[in-house]
């Protein structure tokens, strides 16, 4: 069954990388060069949610247990998760983004989708618009962000998770080509246990290999069962979900 999606939209994904760390360093400039990790809980089973490059150099990583951190590194400063601070930053950024489009969907504290449909005719080049957005966020909050641009939410979000550039646009029609060299875990459906286990069993790591499998629809359905349709859409960069502003 053919899958129809809207290719006339420009969907932006804004990611405020390590937003929690950025916010803490704005509040306390003395943290700017120190190894810092923001943790979910001070208890031994708490985990690292955000960390500084200096902490990464000490061998720490996202998801590491607090009990392990305390054994490994005595120099890192552990900060509690300050939900009220991050929510405040999130509101300021949301207000800044709403100046570019009324259709803004927050994604947690550090992400936003923007439906920029029709804005190309008004604002011109979308990459220049993306840069204006980054500059506006920086001016109003002192927070740095990056922008992914494509025709849908799926691809734009993947862009900001894998591309280090401040602005990156995937042209309409080149979604599958962009995804092809990437590792399969960037796809949402691969987080499903049965899909993840099968890909690991088959030693399939790159999306290009899954795209090759999908050329035989019958075998693809045999392998992936009820997830075959969703996986086929995702490996080709197809996504019909809409940007939903908060109610």
């Amino acid at each position: 069954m053919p899958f129809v999606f809207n290719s006339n939209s420009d969907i932006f994904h804004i990611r405020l990388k390590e937003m929690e760390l950025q916010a803490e360093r704005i509040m306390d400039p003395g943290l700017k060069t120190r190894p810092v990790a923001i943790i979910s809980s001070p208890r031994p089973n708490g985990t690292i949610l955000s960390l500084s490059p200096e902490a990464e150099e000490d061998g720490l990583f996202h998801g590491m247990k607090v009990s392990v951190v305390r054994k490994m590194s005595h120099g890192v400063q552990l900060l509690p998760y300050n939900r009220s601070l991050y929510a405040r930053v999130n509101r300021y950024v949301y207000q800044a983004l709403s100046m570019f489009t009324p259709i803004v969907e927050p994604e947690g504290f550090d992400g936003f989708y923007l439906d920029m449909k029709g804005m190309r005719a008004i604002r011109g080049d979308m990459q220049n618009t993306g840069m204006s957005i980054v500059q506006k966020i920086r001016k109003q909050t002192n927070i740095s962000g990056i922008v992914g641009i494509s025709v849908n939410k799926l691809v734009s979000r993947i862009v900001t998770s894998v591309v280090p550039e401040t602005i990156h646009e995937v042209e309409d029609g080149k979604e599958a080509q962009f995804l092809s060299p990437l590792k399969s875990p960037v796809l949402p459906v691969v987080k499903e246990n049965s899909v993840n286990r099968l890909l690991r069993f088959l030693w399939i790591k790159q999306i290009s290999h899954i795209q090759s499998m999908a050329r035989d629809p019958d075998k693809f359905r045999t392998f992936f069962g009820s997830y075959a349709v969703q996986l086929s859409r995702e490996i080709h960069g197809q996504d019909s979900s809409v940007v939903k502003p908060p109610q």
Side-chain angles (χ1 to χ4, degrees):
M1 184 173 65
F3 177 69
V4 179
F5 64 102
N6 183 4
S7 62
N8 298 316
S9 293
D10 287 299
I11 305 297
F12 284 28
H13 185 257
I14 314 298
R15 188 183 297 270
L16 312 174
K17 297 196 93 171
E18 303 292 352
M19 186 275 282
E20 298 91 346
L21 173 69
Q22 291 195 64
E24 296 289 356
R25 284 181 160 176
I26 290 169
M27 297 301 292
D28 182 359
L31 298 174
K32 282 196 173 176
T33 58
R34 297 189 59 183
V36 177
I38 295 160
I39 55 177
S40 61
S41 164
R43 296 177 179 176
N45 65 345
T47 58
I48 292 178
L49 301 176
S50 183
L51 76 166
S52 68
E54 296 83 3
E56 285 187 294
E57 289 171 8
D58 281 354
L60 308 188
F61 55 84
H62 290 86
M64 179 180 275
K65 298 281 188 186
V66 169
S67 57
V68 178
V69 174
R70 288 186 169 136
K71 290 175 184 175
M72 278 186 59
S73 176
H74 299 291
V76 66
Q77 183 162 345
L78 301 180
L79 299 178
Y81 191 79
N82 190 340
R83 179 174 292 273
S84 62
L85 171 62
Y86 313 143
R88 196 159 68 246
V89 172
N90 178 274
R91 286 195 300 272
Y92 292 151
V93 175
Y94 181 85
Q95 290 167 4
L97 296 176
S98 297
M99 298 177 70
F100 292 87
T101 173
I103 309 174
V104 180
E105 177 185 345
E107 181 194 41
F109 286 142
D110 62 351
F112 299 85
Y113 294 103
L114 282 66
D115 187 339
M116 301 293 284
K117 184 175 183 178
M119 295 295 176
R120 194 177 286 265
I122 300 169
R123 295 184 174 273
D125 183 74
M126 286 289 97
Q127 293 196 39
N128 287 341
T129 302
M131 187 57 69
S132 297
I133 289 172
V134 169
Q135 291 169 348
K136 185 70 172 178
I137 295 171
R138 184 76 177 174
K139 182 179 179 181
Q140 293 202 191
T141 67
N142 219 21
I143 296 284
S144 298
I146 59 175
V147 182
I149 306 170
S150 78
V151 296
N152 62 52
K153 292 170 71 175
L154 171 70
V155 176
S156 295
R157 187 181 190 281
I158 292 174
V159 167
T160 62
S161 70
V162 300
V163 178
E165 300 161 16
T166 303
I167 312 284
H168 186 85
E169 180 177 4
V170 175
E171 293 179 18
D172 186 8
K174 294 187 177 179
E175 296 82 15
Q177 180 182 332
F178 165 74
L179 294 171
S180 181
L182 303 181
K183 299 254 177 83
S184 62
V186 301
L187 302 174
V189 73
V190 174
K191 293 178 176 60
E192 297 291 341
N193 287 334
S194 59
V195 178
N196 188 274
R197 281 198 302 268
L198 179 58
L199 292 176
R200 283 191 286 120
F201 175 76
L202 296 172
W203 287 82
I204 292 175
K205 296 181 178 179
Q206 278 190 314
I207 292 174
S208 60
H209 300 148
I210 311 174
Q211 290 171 341
S212 297
M213 292 178 69
R215 292 184 190 127
D216 187 332
D218 292 335
K219 283 186 179 178
F220 199 73
R221 278 193 295 271
T222 300
F223 272 115
F224 297 104
S226 61
Y227 292 109
V229 173
Q230 184 181 352
L231 182 58
S232 179
R233 291 171 180 170
E234 289 185 7
I235 62 175
H236 294 104
Q238 297 171 344
D239 177 22
S240 61
S241 60
V242 298
V243 179
K244 296 178 181 177
Q247 296 300 316

